Each structure stands twice: as C-alpha cells, then as structure tokens.
Amino acid sequence: MLIVIAVLLFCLIVFIHEMGHFITAKLCGIQVNEFALGMGPRLFHFKKGETTYSLRLLPIGGFCAMEGENGDSENPRAFGNKPVWKRLIVVSAGAIMNLLLGFVFMIILMVQQPVFASTTIAYFYDGAATQQAGMQLGDTFYSVNGYRIYTDRDLSFALSTADPASVDFVLLRDGEKVVLDDVALQTRDADGTPVTVVDFKVDSIPKNVGTVLWQSAAGTISNIRMVWSSLFGILTGQISPSSLAGPVGTASVISQAASQGLSQGFGEAVNNILLVMVIITVNLGIVNLFPLPALDGGRLVFLIIEGIRRKPINRKYEGWIHAGGFVLLMGFMVLISINDIVRIFS
C-alpha cells in the first residue's frame, strides 16, 4: 500500500507539472496535440477535441506536446507563433505548479501538528555543549556557518550539514547579535559516521489558521533554499556528487522514510513519504528552471534572447540544441542510476 501511495504521489507531481503547461497553453490559445502521463509505449489513450490524452507504460515522467513546439508550423495556434510573453508563461508554469504543490503538501503535514517549533532556545540538556559555548535561554538562531536561519527546518538542515567539530553561530539576544565561532558540538556514532547531537529544545509556536499557512509557506521556502544550497555545495565541492540520487535512489529514500514511519504507525509512514515528496516536487520545480538545453529553463533562455533580439533563433538549431541536451540528460540519469544501485548494494 505504501509503494502504491508513493507511486501515485510521484505521478501526481509529474501530472501537476505538465498540467501547468497544459492549462496555460490552452488559456494562451496554443494547440496541444497530446497530454501524456508517463513515458514509453501507450497503455491507454483517447482523443477529445484536438488533444490526445494518454497513459504510458513507464511512470517516470510525462509531457505536454504543443503544436510547433520544436519546429516551424504554419498553424496560427502553434507555440512558436504566439507572442514571447505568452510562451514565457507556458514554459515556466510547470515549475511554478510544482512549487505550489509543495506548499499544498506542506499544509497537509502542518495541519496535523499540535504546535510548531520556533528557532528560540527554551531548554538545554545536561552537559549541553551549546550552553557551555555561551548560548543562553531565549537566544534565537540567526545563522549557522553563514546560512541564514528563518525556520526550524533551516536550523536542522544547517546543523546536519555542518562539521560538528567547528560550527560558527550568530544568535540574537535582546535585539543584539552574538557571535560564537568554532563551537564544537556533541556527536554520536551512526554506522561509523559522526552525527551532530542537538542538545537543546526550542520554544513552541501556537497553532492557528495563520500559523499553519505561515509555517507551510516558510517550510516550502526552506526546502527551496535547501535545494539551492545543496546544488551549490555540489558545484563547489563542499558536498560529494555521489549524494545525487536518480529514480532508483529516490525510491530507496522513500522506502527508508516509510520504514522508519511504520514503527510509529501507518499514518506516520504516509507523512514521511509526503515529506520526501515535498523535497522531490520542489527539486523538480527548481531544477527544471536551470538554463540547460532540454529543460524548461533552457527554453526560457531562448525566449528571453528572442525577446531581446525581436526575432527567434533558427528553430532548426534550437531543436538540435535541445535534442543534444536531452541525450546528455538521459546519459546523466543513467550514470546517476548506476551510482544509486552501487550505493544500495554496497
């Protein structure tokens, strides 16, 4: 049942992304030839009006095929014959819908919480290293190793990615900033890896309609910041590229999250899966906006150039660039999947 739920949620993420393209294309008067969920051979399809709706074999993606999207077309309703501003809306709509879906998922998770966690210290455990380093009750975390702290999720992320042997903190105390550098945190061993021990508790935030919406929005933004920070860490060498995960690795993470949740009940397992899905849908939205060929971000670059030049780049050359980018993207996915399999078995 948990596997089915995970697959359905993943399909929902893809569906919402493509639905963003589909709805805005229709509103902008662009002809949509096919709306597909999944990739590969068709399992089922029907045609309504000008659009074929299909379900395909492999639940790893989907597409919204618009007339004239990848070449010239004489059809006045073709994608390439619409004003640049309309095409910008259509191309960016998928990623925006993914971020909105992450917000909806966060609301579902937050509405179940009795209270919310703040970033203000309310209690220290006996022998707390943070207290010995100079932290006090009532201190509010401002940044950890330069990473700005707005929510408890920001704090958890910053602590989990920091070297526990030396962490730089900036705290707010009575309206003033307090700097504590090179703080050594307590750790515990987790399969040979030192893991930071959080030796304090934070104040709670009462639950009401306003705080549910605020915490959901803040949680979504925190996930967006985590994606950017993680990708920046990979590009700068601070995080190993081996931490990247493809479909296989993602499935493994979902399985682990579900297994951990099951120790507390079926509902907690579903919530754990939902939390992973928040990260996946935010990742999909952000990565799709990268200015790389074959991604929505790559198409946005061409549209921006067209808007500046007042004329499009040759459709044939643009098509070649996107096709080459797609081949490279698929090759990259294969390499990541191989790394996922090796990591799971090792």
Side-chain angles (χ1 to χ4, degrees):
M1 181 61 70
L2 290 172
I3 291 172
V4 171
I5 290 172
V7 171
L8 289 176
L9 285 173
F10 182 76
C11 288
L12 176 62
I13 289 171
V14 175
F15 175 78
I16 288 295
H17 180 93
E18 298 304 331
M19 184 58 71
H21 295 313
F22 177 81
I23 292 174
T24 51
K26 290 287 190 180
L27 291 175
C28 291
I30 297 171
Q31 179 175 316
V32 179
N33 294 328
E34 182 175 0
F35 180 85
L37 183 61
M39 305 291 280
R42 285 177 177 173
L43 295 177
F44 168 78
H45 73 279
F46 67 93
K47 189 169 184 177
K48 184 176 181 181
E50 65 190 16
T51 306
T52 298
Y53 301 86
S54 61
L55 179 65
R56 295 179 175 252
L57 178 63
L58 304 175
I60 57 172
F63 59 86
C64 176
M66 293 171 278
E67 176 68 21
E69 183 179 4
N70 296 310
D72 292 324
S73 173
E74 298 299 324
N75 189 332
R77 297 182 59 226
F79 177 82
N81 294 331
K82 293 296 180 179
V84 170
W85 68 269
K86 286 189 176 183
R87 284 179 279 157
L88 285 170
I89 292 174
V90 173
V91 172
S92 59
I96 293 172
M97 288 293 284
N98 278 130
L99 299 181
L100 289 175
L101 180 63
F103 174 61
V104 172
F105 282 169
M106 286 300 298
I107 290 177
I108 296 173
L109 289 168
M110 290 298 177
V111 78
Q112 302 177 58
Q113 304 300 317
V115 293
F116 305 116
S118 70
T119 57
T120 300
I121 300 174
Y123 175 82
F124 289 105
Y125 292 103
D126 291 338
T130 50
Q131 186 176 31
Q132 294 173 7
M135 294 188 191
Q136 300 178 10
L137 297 180
D139 285 352
T140 298
F141 289 94
Y142 181 84
S143 69
V144 176
N145 284 346
Y147 189 80
R148 186 71 166 87
I149 306 301
Y150 296 99
T151 70
D152 63 305
R153 294 178 184 278
D154 294 334
L155 181 59
S156 296
F157 174 72
L159 290 175
S160 66
T161 55
D163 177 3
S166 178
V167 186
D168 296 336
F169 292 95
V170 177
L171 307 164
L172 291 178
R173 181 183 300 163
D174 299 325
E176 301 290 332
K177 290 182 181 179
V178 177
V179 178
L180 299 175
D181 289 334
D182 299 321
V183 176
L185 301 179
Q186 296 171 329
T187 62
R188 62 178 176 82
D189 183 77
D191 298 326
T193 303
V195 177
T196 300
V197 173
V198 179
D199 55 15
F200 57 86
K201 289 184 178 181
V202 295
D203 278 331
S204 61
I205 299 174
K207 176 184 174 182
N208 54 52
V209 174
T211 55
V212 167
L213 293 176
W214 165 250
Q215 289 293 320
S216 300
T220 305
I221 294 171
S222 291
N223 276 287
I224 293 172
R225 295 180 66 223
M226 281 188 273
V227 171
W228 279 113
S229 179
S230 299
L231 290 172
F232 180 77
I234 290 172
L235 292 174
T236 57
Q238 297 174 336
I239 300 176
S240 171
S242 63
S243 62
L244 285 171
V248 177
T250 301
S252 175
V253 170
I254 293 172
S255 174
Q256 293 174 33
S259 297
Q260 292 170 2
L262 275 176
S263 62
Q264 301 177 49
F266 184 81
E268 192 62 30
V270 173
N271 283 340
N272 280 7
I273 292 174
L274 199 58
L275 183 57
V276 175
M277 291 300 171
V278 171
I279 299 172
I280 292 174
T281 188
V282 168
N283 264 278
L284 183 60
I286 295 298
V287 171
N288 252 285
L289 292 177
F290 278 20
L292 300 174
L295 297 179
D296 291 340
R299 296 185 181 277
L300 287 173
V301 169
F302 279 94
L303 288 172
I304 292 171
I305 293 174
E306 180 181 340
I308 295 173
R309 294 174 71 235
R310 302 289 182 177
K311 63 178 181 178
I313 295 174
N314 190 299
R315 305 288 186 198
K316 179 175 66 174
Y317 299 142
E318 182 180 349
W320 288 351
I321 293 173
H322 288 309
F326 181 77
V327 171
L328 290 175
L329 182 63
M330 290 300 100
F332 184 60
M333 289 298 295
V334 170
L335 290 176
I336 291 179
S337 295
I338 292 173
N339 180 64
D340 287 341
I341 294 170
V342 170
R343 182 167 50 200
I344 289 171
F345 283 99
S346 61

